[in-house]
Amino acid sequence: MYEILERQDLTPIIHMFKIRAPAIASKAQAGQFIILRQGENGERIPLTLADWDSIKGTVTVVFMEVGLSTMKLAALKAGDCITDFAGPLGLPTHIENFGTVICVAGGFAVATIMPIARALKLAGNRVITIMGARSRSLLFWEQEVGRYSDELIVTTDDGSSGRKGLVTEPLRDILAAEGNGVARVIAIGPTIMMKFSAKTTEPFGVKTIVSLNPIMVDGTGMCGCCRVTVGGATRFACVDGPDFDGHHVDWDELMARQRTYLEQEARSMELWKCQRGGCTQEAQHG
Amino acid sequence: MAKVDRMDMPRQLAEARAKNFDEVALGYTPQMAASEAGRCLNCIKKYCVSGCPVGIDIPGFISALRENDIKRASRVLKEKNALPGICGRVCPQETQCEAYCLLGKKGEPVAIGRLERFVADWESNNPSPEQPIAITPSGKKVAVVGSGPAGLTCAAELARLGHKVTVFEALHVAGGVLLYGIPEFRLPKTIVGREVQYISSLGVEIRLNSVIGKIDNVDELLSSGYDAVFLGTGAGLPIFLGVPGENLSGVYSANEFLTRVNLMKAYRFPEFDTPVKIGKKVLVIGGGNVAMDAARCALRMGAEEVSIVYRRSEAEMPARREEVENAKEEGIKFRFLTSPKSFTGDPKRQLTGMECQEMELGEPDSTGRRRPLPKPDSDFILETDVAVVALGTTPNPLIAQTTSGLEVTRHGTVIADEMTGRTKKLGVWAGGDVVTGSATVISAMGAAKRAAADINDFLRRES
Ligand SMILES: Cc1cc2nc3c(=O)[nH]c(=O)nc-3n(C[C@H](O)[C@H](O)[C@H](O)COP(=O)(O)OP(=O)(O)OC[C@H]3O[C@@H](n4cnc5c(N)ncnc54)[C@H](O)[C@@H]3O)c2cc1C
Ligand SMILES: Cc1cc2nc3c(=O)[nH]c(=O)nc-3n(C[C@H](O)[C@H](O)[C@H](O)COP(=O)(O)OP(=O)(O)OC[C@H]3O[C@@H](n4cnc5c(N)ncnc54)[C@H](O)[C@@H]3O)c2cc1C
Ligand code: SF4
Ligand code: SF4
Ligand code: FES
């Protein structure tokens, strides 16, 4: 069992857990993820390592409540234990001194980008970070990420904080201003945001790395559920990725595969809410 | 003495079982077992034993059974086989022990597997306190990677020989393919759980959620105090067809489909959280046991029509005869001499069909089976909303990539001596599917036993 040592609510629906997992903490690298399972009936879901401490033997994950598994997780508190927790999985993000790198993070992925920005900064890069959220109340970790960024740009869809608009707008502006002074872009967040970030950088010819989030089961290369098409070839995101060149990803395929279980996901969530007392009619009879 | 026919084993009726995940074969009653045991001639030459990869004293356990001493029968089994309840169910007996049975020369061989199952099940319902085995601790530590039949067997053997064994398993439960691949209706998971329990009771520590190569790698295990490492990591990497449309939503590898259904219990969704698509028309591509299992799972999940698509003819199908018959009885359809060319989808990229071509059989290929050749202008489309690709598996490359000095073949299998399991790296042994490619439970166990014996020699010599 993997004990939750600390819980923080970063926004109403984004939470941080610090978890005791020494074997993972001693091997973790930026860009890797874990797979966890909560409860004996739980499913296996992947979450990126947002931080780790190899001396204290702890790792940090940040997750957003989007469906049943993440809501079940959000019902846990410090002192509770997570049933299963395996990692670090996937290949680490490729880090070297590229020169100037723009990190783009959307939603909960601000947490995901944190260790990457840190590693890039430590490797000597000039790091520009663009972080976006729907509105001010969903922003978090500006200072943490700011610490490893030479420049930090915040956007909100509604203009309640920072620049009004999407992350792709400042991204385009910087590329237009700096041209090929930017060596690389790393974009992480919702699939649609990564797709449009990659589309934004493509005309500028700046290499753009994205961290793909297909549905996974084992996370070790055994099932092929996580397969994505990159540059015409099938790759397993859990072992060949999750980082890929965003200009070569078949985004529509990824999004179609992510929607495979929409109906069932909605059903099991309704049922769960039902059991906790907030029921709709259909779920009770459906 | 009147000649007695081989005793059939009762099974659930086809219509009923096609709708549930309960075990298909129900096992012998004591009377049936006694009658079947009575057929064995107790041959001096023990022909049957030469067909058992772990060398069970078959006439020995059957004689005990005949004398109604089931406890002794169980002891005889356990001497050579830590997992009799599993092997009695899933061994392809018709090509192993039973193929060598003297009675089989003229008529039907003794139903060795069914008797083995009977004894194992009796034992678990009437547990006798384990005879504590006097073990002298050797002070040596062994790491076993993988908890499939190979890993579990190696761990049990070494623990009984006095070594301290730790099993590292990537998944959240121990059992390997026994848990994630072979369905509940052929091998109830409680039986696997029982056998894992027995192995833990020998003092073996099982560390779940531990992916070797991602946490410590093999070199690190060796330098951090383990005196030997056994690799029983199986052949878990699925092979795909490589045809257009294969990544449409609705196309599964057999591993994914079976893992969702068996390991994650999607057949009990939404009580269990993991979903799987329930097709209306399901196509399963392949002709082996894995294809049969996937098809029979899809049917039990509630698909209206399930067809197996195989590019050769029925005679070449590698699946066990018994399982093909079971599948047919349950209503699975077969499309022989049919080969997939591509998958087609709707604008939302959900699977809608599979484009196929007809095949005909040409000259035998290197496997001795007649080679399928496409018939010209024979393309047609099969409607489908769930397709399962069951073309086989190769070893996961993770261990080979992260272990220095381990040699692998071009198929990715680890090179190891057949008699000893020694790999090209000192201190590292391997056995089971990771060495042979997908094979059988009992051959993995046999290899693990030989490796355990050699590891023991090595460790004892060292001290
Ligand atoms: C490598 C990787 C790293 C990730 N890191 C983070 C992270 O740090 N923080 C975070 O909040 N989210 C992360 N995700 C996404 C997270 O795994 C999903 O949000 C979560 O699985 C949703 O499950 P659910 O039951 O709550 O929602 P559901 O309602 O079941 O699903 C919502 C959507 O999430 C996706 N999803 C569902 N099941 C899975 C699954 N088993 N594996 C992957 N995706 C699934 C599907 O697209 C689905 O439509 C990551 C995904 C991947 C692949
Ligand atoms: C659907 C299906 C049906 C089958 N039916 C039969 C049958 O009826 N009869 C029969 O005899 N055989 C059958 N087989 C074949 C049989 O299951 C295998 O030959 C046997 O399980 C091989 O055993 P193993 O121990 O070598 O590997 P596996 O059972 O594959 O176990 C390997 C274990 O190692 C773990 N692992 C892998 N890599 C790592 C790592 N890096 N770190 C930690 N752990 C790791 C895996 O998670 C897995 O648990 C079937 C196979 C399948 C897929
Ligand atoms: S272990 Fe398998 S091969 Fe050996 S006797 Fe039992 S059923 Fe036959
Ligand atoms: S060969 Fe057949 S009849 Fe002879 S001992 Fe073995 S099981 Fe009995
Ligand atoms: S999640 Fe199973 S292979 Fe990647």
Side-chain angles (χ1 to χ4, degrees), chain A residues 51-76:
Chain A
D51 205 356
W52 53 89
D53 184 329
S54 60
I55 294 159
K56 295 202 180 110
T58 61
V59 304
T60 302
V61 291
V62 170
F63 63 95
M64 180 161 81
E65 291 179 50
V66 295
L68 179 67
S69 300
T70 45
M71 284 186 189
K72 276 188 167 176
L73 212 54
L76 301 179

PDB file of all heavy atoms in Angstrom, chain A residues 51-76:
ATOM      1  N   ASP A  51       6.569  15.670  -9.151  1.00  0.00           N
ATOM      2  CA  ASP A  51       7.771  15.931  -8.348  1.00  0.00           C
ATOM      3  C   ASP A  51       8.139  14.658  -7.608  1.00  0.00           C
ATOM      4  O   ASP A  51       7.342  13.709  -7.561  1.00  0.00           O
ATOM      5  CB  ASP A  51       7.503  17.077  -7.351  1.00  0.00           C
ATOM      6  CG  ASP A  51       8.798  17.797  -6.957  1.00  0.00           C
ATOM      7  OD1 ASP A  51       9.895  17.355  -7.391  1.00  0.00           O
ATOM      8  OD2 ASP A  51       8.709  18.788  -6.208  1.00  0.00           O
ATOM      9  N   TRP A  52       9.341  14.642  -7.018  1.00  0.00           N
ATOM     10  CA  TRP A  52       9.772  13.480  -6.236  1.00  0.00           C
ATOM     11  C   TRP A  52      10.920  13.894  -5.346  1.00  0.00           C
ATOM     12  O   TRP A  52      11.570  14.910  -5.597  1.00  0.00           O
ATOM     13  CB  TRP A  52      10.195  12.330  -7.171  1.00  0.00           C
ATOM     14  CG  TRP A  52      11.198  12.754  -8.184  1.00  0.00           C
ATOM     15  CD1 TRP A  52      12.557  12.744  -8.068  1.00  0.00           C
ATOM     16  CD2 TRP A  52      10.906  13.290  -9.491  1.00  0.00           C
ATOM     17  NE1 TRP A  52      13.127  13.234  -9.221  1.00  0.00           N
ATOM     18  CE2 TRP A  52      12.147  13.576 -10.103  1.00  0.00           C
ATOM     19  CE3 TRP A  52       9.720  13.547 -10.188  1.00  0.00           C
ATOM     20  CZ2 TRP A  52      12.239  14.121 -11.389  1.00  0.00           C
ATOM     21  CZ3 TRP A  52       9.813  14.086 -11.460  1.00  0.00           C
ATOM     22  CH2 TRP A  52      11.063  14.364 -12.053  1.00  0.00           C
ATOM     23  N   ASP A  53      11.140  13.095  -4.312  1.00  0.00           N
ATOM     24  CA  ASP A  53      12.234  13.362  -3.388  1.00  0.00           C
ATOM     25  C   ASP A  53      12.867  12.021  -3.050  1.00  0.00           C
ATOM     26  O   ASP A  53      12.298  11.226  -2.293  1.00  0.00           O
ATOM     27  CB  ASP A  53      11.669  14.043  -2.127  1.00  0.00           C
ATOM     28  CG  ASP A  53      12.767  14.444  -1.160  1.00  0.00           C
ATOM     29  OD1 ASP A  53      13.814  13.742  -1.121  1.00  0.00           O
ATOM     30  OD2 ASP A  53      12.578  15.446  -0.445  1.00  0.00           O
ATOM     31  N   SER A  54      14.015  11.778  -3.646  1.00  0.00           N
ATOM     32  CA  SER A  54      14.593  10.432  -3.500  1.00  0.00           C
ATOM     33  C   SER A  54      15.090  10.206  -2.076  1.00  0.00           C
ATOM     34  O   SER A  54      15.188   9.061  -1.635  1.00  0.00           O
ATOM     35  CB  SER A  54      15.717  10.233  -4.518  1.00  0.00           C
ATOM     36  OG  SER A  54      16.719  11.195  -4.312  1.00  0.00           O
ATOM     37  N   ILE A  55      15.390  11.280  -1.350  1.00  0.00           N
ATOM     38  CA  ILE A  55      15.891  11.104   0.023  1.00  0.00           C
ATOM     39  C   ILE A  55      14.737  10.782   0.959  1.00  0.00           C
ATOM     40  O   ILE A  55      14.798   9.831   1.742  1.00  0.00           O
ATOM     41  CB  ILE A  55      16.654  12.364   0.484  1.00  0.00           C
ATOM     42  CG1 ILE A  55      17.926  12.490  -0.373  1.00  0.00           C
ATOM     43  CG2 ILE A  55      17.026  12.273   1.962  1.00  0.00           C
ATOM     44  CD1 ILE A  55      18.514  13.850  -0.407  1.00  0.00           C
ATOM     45  N   LYS A  56      13.645  11.517   0.817  1.00  0.00           N
ATOM     46  CA  LYS A  56      12.485  11.239   1.679  1.00  0.00           C
ATOM     47  C   LYS A  56      11.663  10.055   1.153  1.00  0.00           C
ATOM     48  O   LYS A  56      10.777   9.561   1.833  1.00  0.00           O
ATOM     49  CB  LYS A  56      11.589  12.468   1.759  1.00  0.00           C
ATOM     50  CG  LYS A  56      12.269  13.652   2.455  1.00  0.00           C
ATOM     51  CD  LYS A  56      11.227  14.623   2.992  1.00  0.00           C
ATOM     52  CE  LYS A  56      11.869  15.822   3.687  1.00  0.00           C
ATOM     53  NZ  LYS A  56      11.700  17.063   2.925  1.00  0.00           N
ATOM     54  N   GLY A  57      11.949   9.632  -0.084  1.00  0.00           N
ATOM     55  CA  GLY A  57      11.202   8.491  -0.631  1.00  0.00           C
ATOM     56  C   GLY A  57       9.772   8.831  -0.994  1.00  0.00           C
ATOM     57  O   GLY A  57       8.871   7.997  -0.862  1.00  0.00           O
ATOM     58  N   THR A  58       9.532  10.050  -1.460  1.00  0.00           N
ATOM     59  CA  THR A  58       8.162  10.446  -1.807  1.00  0.00           C
ATOM     60  C   THR A  58       8.058  10.888  -3.260  1.00  0.00           C
ATOM     61  O   THR A  58       9.034  11.331  -3.860  1.00  0.00           O
ATOM     62  CB  THR A  58       7.697  11.628  -0.941  1.00  0.00           C
ATOM     63  OG1 THR A  58       8.563  12.750  -1.190  1.00  0.00           O
ATOM     64  CG2 THR A  58       7.716  11.288   0.536  1.00  0.00           C
ATOM     65  N   VAL A  59       6.865  10.742  -3.823  1.00  0.00           N
ATOM     66  CA  VAL A  59       6.585  11.276  -5.154  1.00  0.00           C
ATOM     67  C   VAL A  59       5.290  12.086  -5.087  1.00  0.00           C
ATOM     68  O   VAL A  59       4.447  11.847  -4.225  1.00  0.00           O
ATOM     69  CB  VAL A  59       6.460  10.185  -6.246  1.00  0.00           C
ATOM     70  CG1 VAL A  59       7.705   9.323  -6.294  1.00  0.00           C
ATOM     71  CG2 VAL A  59       5.227   9.346  -6.027  1.00  0.00           C
ATOM     72  N   THR A  60       5.170  13.038  -6.011  1.00  0.00           N
ATOM     73  CA  THR A  60       4.008  13.915  -6.039  1.00  0.00           C
ATOM     74  C   THR A  60       3.259  13.733  -7.346  1.00  0.00           C
ATOM     75  O   THR A  60       3.881  13.700  -8.405  1.00  0.00           O
ATOM     76  CB  THR A  60       4.466  15.384  -5.909  1.00  0.00           C
ATOM     77  OG1 THR A  60       5.197  15.518  -4.692  1.00  0.00           O
ATOM     78  CG2 THR A  60       3.281  16.339  -5.904  1.00  0.00           C
ATOM     79  N   VAL A  61       1.946  13.590  -7.256  1.00  0.00           N
ATOM     80  CA  VAL A  61       1.122  13.593  -8.470  1.00  0.00           C
ATOM     81  C   VAL A  61       0.059  14.680  -8.325  1.00  0.00           C
ATOM     82  O   VAL A  61      -0.353  15.013  -7.212  1.00  0.00           O
ATOM     83  CB  VAL A  61       0.445  12.236  -8.744  1.00  0.00           C
ATOM     84  CG1 VAL A  61       1.459  11.180  -9.139  1.00  0.00           C
ATOM     85  CG2 VAL A  61      -0.377  11.778  -7.547  1.00  0.00           C
ATOM     86  N   VAL A  62      -0.339  15.216  -9.461  1.00  0.00           N
ATOM     87  CA  VAL A  62      -1.388  16.228  -9.489  1.00  0.00           C
ATOM     88  C   VAL A  62      -2.423  15.748 -10.483  1.00  0.00           C
ATOM     89  O   VAL A  62      -2.070  15.355 -11.595  1.00  0.00           O
ATOM     90  CB  VAL A  62      -0.816  17.591  -9.934  1.00  0.00           C
ATOM     91  CG1 VAL A  62      -1.945  18.582 -10.214  1.00  0.00           C
ATOM     92  CG2 VAL A  62       0.126  18.135  -8.875  1.00  0.00           C
ATOM     93  N   PHE A  63      -3.684  15.719 -10.069  1.00  0.00           N
ATOM     94  CA  PHE A  63      -4.679  15.189 -10.987  1.00  0.00           C
ATOM     95  C   PHE A  63      -5.942  16.029 -10.972  1.00  0.00           C
ATOM     96  O   PHE A  63      -6.247  16.709  -9.996  1.00  0.00           O
ATOM     97  CB  PHE A  63      -5.013  13.732 -10.657  1.00  0.00           C
ATOM     98  CG  PHE A  63      -5.639  13.557  -9.306  1.00  0.00           C
ATOM     99  CD1 PHE A  63      -7.015  13.510  -9.152  1.00  0.00           C
ATOM    100  CD2 PHE A  63      -4.842  13.452  -8.173  1.00  0.00           C
ATOM    101  CE1 PHE A  63      -7.592  13.374  -7.892  1.00  0.00           C
ATOM    102  CE2 PHE A  63      -5.402  13.318  -6.915  1.00  0.00           C
ATOM    103  CZ  PHE A  63      -6.781  13.279  -6.774  1.00  0.00           C
ATOM    104  N   MET A  64      -6.638  15.960 -12.093  1.00  0.00           N
ATOM    105  CA  MET A  64      -7.874  16.706 -12.231  1.00  0.00           C
ATOM    106  C   MET A  64      -9.040  15.730 -12.219  1.00  0.00           C
ATOM    107  O   MET A  64      -8.989  14.678 -12.854  1.00  0.00           O
ATOM    108  CB  MET A  64      -7.860  17.477 -13.542  1.00  0.00           C
ATOM    109  CG  MET A  64      -9.120  18.283 -13.766  1.00  0.00           C
ATOM    110  SD  MET A  64      -8.875  19.570 -14.972  1.00  0.00           S
ATOM    111  CE  MET A  64      -9.032  18.642 -16.482  1.00  0.00           C
ATOM    112  N   GLU A  65     -10.092  16.081 -11.522  1.00  0.00           N
ATOM    113  CA  GLU A  65     -11.285  15.233 -11.497  1.00  0.00           C
ATOM    114  C   GLU A  65     -12.007  15.348 -12.826  1.00  0.00           C
ATOM    115  O   GLU A  65     -12.513  16.403 -13.179  1.00  0.00           O
ATOM    116  CB  GLU A  65     -12.244  15.688 -10.398  1.00  0.00           C
ATOM    117  CG  GLU A  65     -11.736  15.452  -8.993  1.00  0.00           C
ATOM    118  CD  GLU A  65     -12.727  15.947  -7.954  1.00  0.00           C
ATOM    119  OE1 GLU A  65     -13.920  15.592  -8.060  1.00  0.00           O
ATOM    120  OE2 GLU A  65     -12.319  16.689  -7.059  1.00  0.00           O
ATOM    121  N   VAL A  66     -12.018  14.261 -13.576  1.00  0.00           N
ATOM    122  CA  VAL A  66     -12.740  14.264 -14.855  1.00  0.00           C
ATOM    123  C   VAL A  66     -13.747  13.128 -14.950  1.00  0.00           C
ATOM    124  O   VAL A  66     -14.650  13.169 -15.758  1.00  0.00           O
ATOM    125  CB  VAL A  66     -11.777  14.164 -16.070  1.00  0.00           C
ATOM    126  CG1 VAL A  66     -10.896  15.398 -16.149  1.00  0.00           C
ATOM    127  CG2 VAL A  66     -10.933  12.901 -16.013  1.00  0.00           C
ATOM    128  N   GLY A  67     -13.567  12.100 -14.141  1.00  0.00           N
ATOM    129  CA  GLY A  67     -14.456  10.945 -14.255  1.00  0.00           C
ATOM    130  C   GLY A  67     -14.375  10.105 -12.995  1.00  0.00           C
ATOM    131  O   GLY A  67     -13.861  10.558 -11.960  1.00  0.00           O
ATOM    132  N   LEU A  68     -14.833   8.883 -13.086  1.00  0.00           N
ATOM    133  CA  LEU A  68     -14.973   8.033 -11.911  1.00  0.00           C
ATOM    134  C   LEU A  68     -13.662   7.849 -11.140  1.00  0.00           C
ATOM    135  O   LEU A  68     -13.600   8.066  -9.943  1.00  0.00           O
ATOM    136  CB  LEU A  68     -15.525   6.670 -12.336  1.00  0.00           C
ATOM    137  CG  LEU A  68     -15.685   5.676 -11.192  1.00  0.00           C
ATOM    138  CD1 LEU A  68     -16.772   6.144 -10.242  1.00  0.00           C
ATOM    139  CD2 LEU A  68     -16.006   4.288 -11.722  1.00  0.00           C
ATOM    140  N   SER A  69     -12.617   7.418 -11.843  1.00  0.00           N
ATOM    141  CA  SER A  69     -11.392   7.065 -11.120  1.00  0.00           C
ATOM    142  C   SER A  69     -10.771   8.275 -10.448  1.00  0.00           C
ATOM    143  O   SER A  69     -10.298   8.191  -9.308  1.00  0.00           O
ATOM    144  CB  SER A  69     -10.385   6.425 -12.073  1.00  0.00           C
ATOM    145  OG  SER A  69     -10.933   5.262 -12.628  1.00  0.00           O
ATOM    146  N   THR A  70     -10.752   9.407 -11.145  1.00  0.00           N
ATOM    147  CA  THR A  70     -10.144  10.591 -10.542  1.00  0.00           C
ATOM    148  C   THR A  70     -11.028  11.139  -9.419  1.00  0.00           C
ATOM    149  O   THR A  70     -10.516  11.715  -8.458  1.00  0.00           O
ATOM    150  CB  THR A  70      -9.853  11.653 -11.610  1.00  0.00           C
ATOM    151  OG1 THR A  70     -10.989  11.789 -12.468  1.00  0.00           O
ATOM    152  CG2 THR A  70      -8.654  11.270 -12.440  1.00  0.00           C
ATOM    153  N   MET A  71     -12.335  10.913  -9.493  1.00  0.00           N
ATOM    154  CA  MET A  71     -13.194  11.365  -8.393  1.00  0.00           C
ATOM    155  C   MET A  71     -13.030  10.468  -7.168  1.00  0.00           C
ATOM    156  O   MET A  71     -13.026  10.943  -6.039  1.00  0.00           O
ATOM    157  CB  MET A  71     -14.655  11.384  -8.832  1.00  0.00           C
ATOM    158  CG  MET A  71     -14.924  12.571  -9.722  1.00  0.00           C
ATOM    159  SD  MET A  71     -16.655  12.709 -10.111  1.00  0.00           S
ATOM    160  CE  MET A  71     -16.552  14.001 -11.346  1.00  0.00           C
ATOM    161  N   LYS A  72     -12.904   9.160  -7.416  1.00  0.00           N
ATOM    162  CA  LYS A  72     -12.647   8.246  -6.299  1.00  0.00           C
ATOM    163  C   LYS A  72     -11.349   8.636  -5.597  1.00  0.00           C
ATOM    164  O   LYS A  72     -11.243   8.589  -4.381  1.00  0.00           O
ATOM    165  CB  LYS A  72     -12.501   6.816  -6.822  1.00  0.00           C
ATOM    166  CG  LYS A  72     -13.802   6.092  -7.029  1.00  0.00           C
ATOM    167  CD  LYS A  72     -13.491   4.643  -7.357  1.00  0.00           C
ATOM    168  CE  LYS A  72     -14.721   3.776  -7.278  1.00  0.00           C
ATOM    169  NZ  LYS A  72     -14.392   2.386  -7.707  1.00  0.00           N
ATOM    170  N   LEU A  73     -10.382   8.995  -6.412  1.00  0.00           N
ATOM    171  CA  LEU A  73      -9.075   9.380  -5.878  1.00  0.00           C
ATOM    172  C   LEU A  73      -9.224  10.637  -5.035  1.00  0.00           C
ATOM    173  O   LEU A  73      -8.640  10.762  -3.949  1.00  0.00           O
ATOM    174  CB  LEU A  73      -8.141   9.640  -7.069  1.00  0.00           C
ATOM    175  CG  LEU A  73      -6.670   9.345  -6.906  1.00  0.00           C
ATOM    176  CD1 LEU A  73      -6.440   7.927  -6.426  1.00  0.00           C
ATOM    177  CD2 LEU A  73      -5.967   9.575  -8.246  1.00  0.00           C
ATOM    178  N   ALA A  74     -10.042  11.572  -5.554  1.00  0.00           N
ATOM    179  CA  ALA A  74     -10.218  12.854  -4.868  1.00  0.00           C
ATOM    180  C   ALA A  74     -10.928  12.676  -3.533  1.00  0.00           C
ATOM    181  O   ALA A  74     -10.911  13.570  -2.691  1.00  0.00           O
ATOM    182  CB  ALA A  74     -11.001  13.814  -5.754  1.00  0.00           C
ATOM    183  N   ALA A  75     -11.552  11.512  -3.323  1.00  0.00           N
ATOM    184  CA  ALA A  75     -12.232  11.279  -2.054  1.00  0.00           C
ATOM    185  C   ALA A  75     -11.259  10.835  -0.962  1.00  0.00           C
ATOM    186  O   ALA A  75     -11.642  10.674   0.198  1.00  0.00           O
ATOM    187  CB  ALA A  75     -13.325  10.221  -2.241  1.00  0.00           C
ATOM    188  N   LEU A  76      -9.990  10.634  -1.319  1.00  0.00           N
ATOM    189  CA  LEU A  76      -9.005  10.188  -0.327  1.00  0.00           C
ATOM    190  C   LEU A  76      -8.379  11.382   0.391  1.00  0.00           C
ATOM    191  O   LEU A  76      -8.341  12.485  -0.150  1.00  0.00           O
ATOM    192  CB  LEU A  76      -7.901   9.372  -1.008  1.00  0.00           C
ATOM    193  CG  LEU A  76      -8.349   8.124  -1.769  1.00  0.00           C
ATOM    194  CD1 LEU A  76      -7.152   7.443  -2.411  1.00  0.00           C
ATOM    195  CD2 LEU A  76      -9.071   7.168  -0.833  1.00  0.00           C
TER     196      LEU A  76
END
